[in-house]
Amino acid sequence: MASLATSTLVYSTPVRIKTSSKPRSSSRTCKKTVPFLVTRADSWSPLLHAAKHTVDKHIQSGMVVGLGSGQASGLAIQYLGRLLRTGALKDIVGVPMSVTSASEAAKAGIPLDVYQDSSQIDFAFDDADIIEEETLVAIIGRRRSQSDESIIQEKTILKAANKLVFMITENQYMGGPEGSIPVLVQALNWMETAEEIDDLFLGDAEVWRRSSVGQAGPTGGDFPFITREGHNVLDVIFTSPIQSLAEVAEGLDKVDGVVDHGVISKFPCNVVIAAESGGLNIVDRLSPIVGYDSS
């Protein structure tokens, strides 16, 4: 059984941001507090609190940081860049998980490196589509729309990190998660793989090949989505709540033709859950799930 710990932090939702010509003093010795200029829309975003908390709590000077993709990750990248520009943090190297996060980090002024098998990553943050209650198993990759993005690269960097934080909203943290799981399959004979997956979850899920252009039916039409590694993506759409993401992942791993999927379990793992009220719930998993090999 996974070991879980929870805590709650409460932030007030900002209405407006005041600036001053005089810098504020801070009693913190490890990192200075830096004003973070955001748009009005961002200032109301619960994920902004999650992003700032994640950076302030977990990132220290000299770290190699895995940079995730998504709304919260984008805000964290912007905030991290501002801390670097003001000198509150130094000698940070970012390892982007996607072309999007690389572009955002470059704009924020974060020095970047490319992930290699020997790369040592101190910490990583990322968005998740869903986090399963209790286990903290995550689903990623539901909304990939660019062929140069890679679930494989994203999962590799997340697994390589010494510590990981997912940032989500409270409606993304649930027991019995619903919806789709993306599955990467070999383009050759993809139909046979899809049929085997359909048999695996008979009656509980539909299998659609992802299209690169709009909605094109279960087969993906004439222009199926192709990943940068040359794989097709099957969206396994569950029609009833998923009882165990770990069991789903184990089943998919055994199907011939499956290259990878959007289910990931990583420990130690920290989930920062942003509430609409402005509060943050922090959930930790310190030990692996019994019987599930996430390697």
Side-chain angles (χ1 to χ4, degrees):
M1 177 64 70
S3 175
L4 293 172
T6 63
S7 60
T8 302
L9 299 176
V10 178
Y11 291 78
S12 60
T13 303
V15 177
R16 57 182 179 179
I17 300 172
K18 296 182 179 180
T19 60
S20 172
S21 58
K22 294 182 179 181
R24 287 185 174 181
S25 60
S26 173
S27 59
R28 299 177 65 182
T29 57
C30 61
K31 189 185 300 180
K32 295 184 291 185
T33 300
V34 177
F36 182 42
L37 301 181
V38 296
T39 65
R40 183 175 178 83
D42 286 337
S43 71
W44 291 98
S45 170
L47 288 176
L48 177 60
H49 301 313
K52 294 180 68 176
H53 169 82
T54 298
V55 173
D56 287 335
K57 177 71 174 178
H58 297 283
I59 299 179
Q60 300 176 3
S61 293
M63 277 188 169
V64 177
V65 180
L67 307 175
S69 296
Q71 183 182 359
S73 293
L75 292 168
I77 288 171
Q78 292 176 38
Y79 183 54
L80 178 58
R82 182 158 183 81
L83 292 177
L84 284 170
R85 292 194 300 275
T86 59
L89 285 174
K90 298 180 180 179
D91 302 322
I92 296 293
V93 175
V95 180
M97 300 181 200
S98 68
V99 173
T100 300
S101 58
S103 175
E104 291 174 338
K107 292 177 182 177
I110 301 173
L112 298 177
D113 197 5
V114 177
Y115 178 79
Q116 300 177 354
D117 291 340
S118 59
S119 297
Q120 298 294 319
I121 299 177
D122 300 300
F123 173 73
F125 59 77
D126 199 6
D127 288 52
D129 296 306
I130 294 292
I131 298 286
E132 185 178 52
E133 286 183 7
E134 302 297 332
T135 67
L136 303 193
V137 178
I139 299 175
I140 62 173
R142 280 184 174 177
R143 294 181 293 272
R144 289 287 180 266
S145 59
Q146 300 182 46
S147 61
D148 51 8
E149 307 293 348
S150 172
I151 292 177
I152 295 175
Q153 176 177 316
E154 187 173 359
K155 287 182 67 172
T156 299
I157 294 173
L158 291 174
K159 290 178 179 179
N162 292 334
K163 188 170 184 181
L164 164 65
V165 167
F166 283 115
M167 299 170 289
I168 60 172
T169 57
E170 54 190 348
N171 63 349
Q172 294 173 296
Y173 184 68
M174 63 181 68
E178 301 175 344
S180 64
I181 295 176
V183 181
L184 276 63
V185 299
Q186 296 173 0
L188 184 64
N189 298 324
W190 72 268
M191 182 70 78
E192 286 82 352
T193 305
E195 290 174 351
E196 187 171 348
I197 294 174
D198 188 58
D199 290 340
L200 179 65
F201 304 114
L202 187 63
D204 292 325
E206 300 176 358
V207 182
W208 289 48
R209 185 167 65 155
R210 189 175 297 186
S211 172
S212 61
V213 182
Q215 297 292 333
T219 63
D222 295 331
F223 303 98
F225 183 87
I226 305 294
T227 70
R228 73 183 192 191
E229 297 93 355
H231 305 308
N232 284 165
V233 178
L234 301 180
D235 288 309
V236 182
I237 307 167
F238 286 83
T239 55
S240 58
I242 301 170
Q243 299 303 310
S244 170
L245 283 177
E247 292 181 3
V248 169
E250 288 179 350
L252 290 171
D253 288 337
K254 297 175 182 178
V255 175
D256 289 339
V258 169
V259 178
D260 209 336
H261 49 71
V263 180
I264 179 169
S265 175
K266 164 73 179 178
F267 72 97
C269 177
N270 182 284
V271 178
V272 180
I273 306 168
E276 288 294 334
S277 63
L280 296 178
N281 292 322
I282 314 299
V283 186
D284 292 293
R285 193 181 88 231
L286 305 176
S287 59
I289 301 170
V290 176
Y292 176 44
D293 180 8
S294 62
S295 61

